[in-house]
Amino acid sequence: MSIHIQNLSKSYDGRHQVLKNVSLDIPDGELVALLGPSGGGKTTLLRSIAGLEVPDSGQILFRGVDATRQRPQERGVGFVFQHYALFRHLTVFENIAFGLRVKPRTQRLPEERIRAAVEELLHLIQLDWISGRYPDELSGGQRQRVALARALAPKPTFLLLDEPFGALDTRVRKELRRWLRQLHDELEMTSIFVTHDQEEALELADRVVVMMDGNVAQTGTPDEVYDHPSSPEVYQFLGDVNLFRGRVASGSFLHQPHSPENTATATAFVRPHELEVDRFPATETSVPAVVLHAYAVGPKVRVELRHRDSGQLIEAELTRDRHRNLGLAAGDPVWVTPKSLRVFQDGQEVAI
Amino acid sequence: MRAGAKRIQNDPWWLRAGAIGFTLLFLGIAVLLPLTAVFVEAFSKGVSGWWAAVSDPDTVSAVKMTLLAALGAVPLNTAFGVAAAWLVTKHRFPGRHVLVSLIDLPFSVSPVIAGLVFVLLFGAQGTFGPWLLAHDIHILFAWPSLILATAFVTFPFVARELIPVMEEMGTQNEEAAVMLGAGGWTVFRKITLPGIRWGLLYGVILCNARAMGEFGAVSVVSGHIRGETNTLPLQAEILYNDYNFTGAFAVASLLTLLAGATVVLKLWLERKIAR
């Protein structure tokens, strides 16, 4: 295991606990996303790995070596800040060269080697032509790339990125994501990035670590995390989901929208694309609903429905073809059938 | 004025004229008139008279003492101001607000009181007086007390100027430099200092202006020894009390020229910062 985090805890002002006994393993060469709502502790965890925060207790090991008390300079970590933190008084060239120039005299490369290394990085980020500019003269996407090149210059073993695409528009964000993925694979690093954007995490990462309320809620591949969320909270955080209240009886879920408060209830989670919409009940688990509204999102059509008995809102996602064949209009009575569903009772998953 | 660019405020003409008139009148009475008087009086016996007063050995000595006091106090307060501003803005620790208030203290203490404090500390009857006397170290009524008193009075200038600048800078740039492998001193030299350089220069200029013009505190600790511990402001007062008006105003004209140079420097810097 390349980065091993063990029982890490951290609180601010001795009261607000941001990290609660976090343990985590990050294998060599992976691109890992720390995903979660804001205030979940993901940035604090990232900064602790970098050495910018000192944990109250716990250990951080880099390739088996205890780094908990190491200075940030000694950790071999490159860090890309959320707002880039480029040095405004230095040109793009000197920003990237910074990490090479501040090395102790004995380890420092001769000037021409530094220049060559910076040229190579400039070429890598495809910004050779702006090497003489100052950060204030760059666009957001360019700044981001310069920040990345600067972090890469000292050849770090680990690359940490705090909300790397947060401040960019959608098109640039997509492009830079692809580019980061490519860079990570080429340079054979271990990279960790923080994000609150689930799409970004699922698309980019080899492994997703979901952090909530100072804890690691779940770790897994994007598919595992998306298809098998470990708790109702993770389920709700990762994408849109429909909740059906009901009861578990003899291994199957009974939808009971009006179940009395005091009976043991269970909650079923169904994603919009896991719902089938028909003109007639497909199975005995089908739910009667009325179409409220339908709108196209790219290749999909989102249909908003209302449960005919309870009035609960239901969201379904159909392909354009399916939507056309059904010929749905607002007010149409339909039947909604879950193709798959996952049931949680008292925070525990129940096999159906 | 172009037809399209209509003024937003439409105060009546008499209000505008009144405000402008009052400002100019007050500026004339309070600033321009006295300044002119200084030079008129200083040159009342011609350039040769002015030169004779300025080249008087006691006055030359006063120029030296003023420069010495500033040369001692300004670097001290620059170093302290940078350190204090850095401590207060980049770190969070208990007692931080108390420290900020302490930095401002000399602004609210009368300079005369400041001078008296040094007399109480280093005077013959003072706390350290007997020990200093026994070791033949002269602080009071000698140049070290001039520097100390000047330093006390000009203590807040650099720190006050830097605290907002550093506050705005934040800590991310320094953190970025640390993550790139830079040690503490390198971070300060290559990142912090370039970020605060204009604010720092501004603070140093203000500090210097105040240091050269200081009267109250220096007056208490200097002992008014002519040709030895008198600074320019003290020398001007002594000459005036001697009814040597030409001499007094000649010295005053030197101080005014210093002030003028400071204003020019300040203007130049402000335009530089604005850009």
Side-chain angles (χ1 to χ4, degrees):
Chain A
M1 289 298 178
S2 179
I3 299 181
H4 179 72
I5 293 159
Q6 204 178 323
N7 305 107
L8 212 64
S9 289
K10 166 92 187 167
S11 61
Y12 290 123
D13 310 328
R15 289 191 305 269
H16 180 61
Q17 203 171 3
V18 252
L19 294 178
K20 297 171 185 164
N21 215 18
V22 170
S23 294
L24 184 66
D25 281 316
I26 293 166
D28 252 333
E30 282 205 343
L31 179 56
V32 176
L34 290 183
L35 174 67
S38 50
K42 48 198 193 320
T43 293
T44 305
L45 180 61
L46 196 77
R47 287 172 60 87
S48 300
I49 297 172
L52 293 172
E53 301 283 352
V54 181
D56 300 336
S57 61
Q59 269 193 318
I60 299 170
L61 281 79
F62 288 165
R63 297 192 165 151
V65 181
D66 188 355
T68 322
R69 303 280 155 216
Q70 258 179 7
R71 296 164 68 223
Q73 292 97 327
E74 295 161 351
R75 297 191 181 199
V77 166
F79 200 102
V80 177
F81 289 83
Q82 187 178 2
H83 300 292
Y84 320 133
L86 293 178
F87 307 136
R88 289 179 60 191
H89 63 289
L90 298 179
T91 60
V92 166
F93 189 98
E94 287 304 321
N95 261 283
I96 298 173
F98 190 88
L100 301 172
R101 293 208 194 282
V102 297
K103 277 189 195 294
R105 210 171 287 277
T106 48
Q107 298 166 32
R108 202 183 305 160
L109 295 169
E111 177 63 22
E112 62 270 24
R113 296 265 312 273
I114 291 179
R115 298 202 82 82
V118 176
E119 302 281 356
E120 198 186 315
L121 280 161
L122 277 165
H123 188 68
L124 186 74
I125 61 171
Q126 297 155 12
L127 289 177
D128 316 64
W129 48 286
I130 58 160
S131 70
R133 291 210 196 153
Y134 286 89
D136 286 349
E137 302 164 343
L138 307 181
S139 72
Q142 290 170 338
R143 281 182 211 176
Q144 172 63 282
R145 283 191 272 172
V146 173
L148 214 87
R150 183 179 70 176
L152 291 175
K155 297 205 188 318
T157 324
F158 310 106
L159 182 65
L160 310 181
L161 307 101
D162 188 7
E163 300 265 2
F165 312 113
L168 302 169
D169 62 60
T170 323
R171 194 183 54 80
V172 179
R173 194 188 288 212
K174 270 232 146 91
E175 192 185 303
L176 279 180
R177 256 190 235 167
R178 203 173 312 131
W179 180 71
L180 175 65
R181 177 75 237 187
Q182 206 181 329
L183 211 65
H184 167 87
D185 293 338
E186 260 172 49
L187 299 177
E188 294 172 355
M189 292 174 299
T190 305
S191 311
I192 307 172
F193 69 98
V194 159
T195 182
H196 60 258
D197 181 343
Q198 38 130 346
E199 191 189 320
E200 194 165 283
L202 298 175
E203 183 186 313
L204 194 57
D206 296 317
R207 183 183 297 262
V208 177
V209 176
V210 184
M211 285 201 71
M212 281 175 166
D213 197 25
N215 287 304
V216 173
Q218 191 175 3
T219 307
T221 64
D223 284 349
E224 281 166 14
V225 172
Y226 188 78
D227 294 335
H228 304 283
S230 63
S231 70
E233 289 77 23
V234 177
Y235 220 124
Q236 278 182 293
F237 181 72
L238 285 173
D240 300 316
V241 69
N242 294 296
L243 273 69
F244 295 102
R245 294 175 64 74
R247 194 159 58 81
V248 178
S250 58
S252 65
F253 177 75
L254 299 173
H255 181 217
Q256 291 180 322
H258 299 297
S259 64
E261 287 287 322
N262 52 359
T263 55
T265 54
T267 309
F269 290 81
V270 187
R271 296 212 185 274
H273 68 87
E274 292 169 336
L275 279 176
E276 191 61 78
V277 177
D278 296 289
R279 288 283 180 185
F280 304 98
T283 64
E284 65 267 28
T285 56
S286 295
V287 172
V290 179
V291 176
L292 292 178
H293 176 57
Y295 58 96
V297 182
K300 304 278 186 188
V301 178
R302 294 222 140 199
V303 185
E304 276 174 25
L305 309 125
R306 187 187 291 281
H307 192 281
R308 242 181 282 166
D309 298 339
S310 67
Q312 183 197 348
L313 283 175
I314 303 169
E315 204 168 345
E317 195 178 84
L318 308 176
T319 62
R320 279 187 178 242
D321 284 347
R322 176 75 187 146
H323 181 249
R324 203 177 305 120
N325 292 341
L326 279 168
L328 293 178
D332 283 3
V334 289
W335 293 84
V336 177
T337 315
K339 284 179 278 193
S340 66
L341 80 175
R342 290 169 37 90
V343 181
F344 287 88
Q345 196 162 14
D346 303 324
Q348 296 291 316
E349 189 172 3
V350 183
I352 297 295
Chain B
M1 208 199 295
R2 281 177 294 123
K6 238 188 134 210
R7 288 176 59 116
I8 294 166
Q9 91 233 57
N10 30 20
D11 300 323
W13 67 269
W14 52 267
L15 187 62
R16 267 181 280 152
I20 294 169
F22 176 73
T23 308
L24 289 181
L25 187 74
F26 189 75
L27 202 69
I29 294 175
V31 181
L32 288 178
L33 204 64
L35 279 183
T36 320
V38 165
F39 285 97
V40 167
E41 195 63 43
F43 288 97
S44 62
K45 289 181 183 154
V47 176
S48 58
W50 179 81
W51 180 249
V54 165
S55 55
D56 177 84
D58 285 356
T59 304
V60 171
S61 156
V63 170
K64 284 185 190 157
M65 288 321 284
T66 295
L67 289 178
L68 179 74
L71 267 174
V74 173
L76 266 178
N77 280 339
T78 304
F80 165 80
V82 172
W86 180 78
L87 193 67
V88 165
T89 53
K90 312 274 174 177
H91 301 272
R92 294 286 175 267
F93 52 89
R96 195 173 136 261
H97 292 287
V98 178
L99 185 62
V100 175
S101 307
L102 273 179
I103 293 172
D104 284 340
L105 189 71
F107 273 158
S108 48
V109 171
S110 159
V112 177
I113 308 291
L116 282 173
V117 167
F118 287 107
V119 172
L120 286 175
L121 280 176
F122 303 121
Q125 274 79 46
T127 317
F128 302 110
W131 186 87
L132 290 169
L133 212 61
H135 291 79
D136 198 28
I137 300 169
H138 301 280
I139 292 185
L140 208 62
F141 309 136
W143 63 268
S145 69
L146 293 184
I147 293 180
L148 280 174
T150 308
F152 181 89
V153 173
T154 59
F155 186 71
F157 281 93
V158 175
R160 263 289 135 215
E161 208 52 56
L162 287 183
I163 287 171
V165 176
M166 285 194 172
E167 202 88 64
E168 200 200 317
M169 257 179 86
T171 50
Q172 279 227 324
N173 274 350
E174 275 111 350
E175 284 182 350
V178 163
M179 290 316 301
L180 290 166
W185 177 240
T186 311
V187 173
F188 177 75
R189 211 161 38 86
K190 293 201 163 189
I191 305 300
T192 315
L193 208 51
I196 62 169
R197 60 191 158 176
W198 298 120
L200 180 61
L201 202 54
Y202 194 84
V204 167
I205 288 174
L206 288 183
C207 181
N208 185 55
R210 186 78 172 81
M212 289 187 167
E214 174 51 26
F215 179 84
V218 168
S219 171
V220 176
V221 299
S222 78
H224 297 275
I225 308 170
R226 288 188 197 207
E228 269 189 50
T229 62
N230 268 349
T231 61
L232 279 176
L234 301 182
Q235 179 73 4
E237 194 212 15
I238 286 176
L239 291 174
Y240 184 81
N241 289 343
D242 290 349
Y243 301 105
N244 181 354
F245 295 129
T246 312
F249 281 99
V251 171
S253 72
L254 284 181
L255 280 167
T256 310
L257 287 175
L258 270 175
T262 306
V263 170
V264 170
L265 255 175
K266 201 171 146 259
L267 280 176
W268 172 76
L269 252 181
E270 274 165 0
R271 294 178 67 173
K272 193 110 191 160
I273 294 169
R275 231 182 291 142

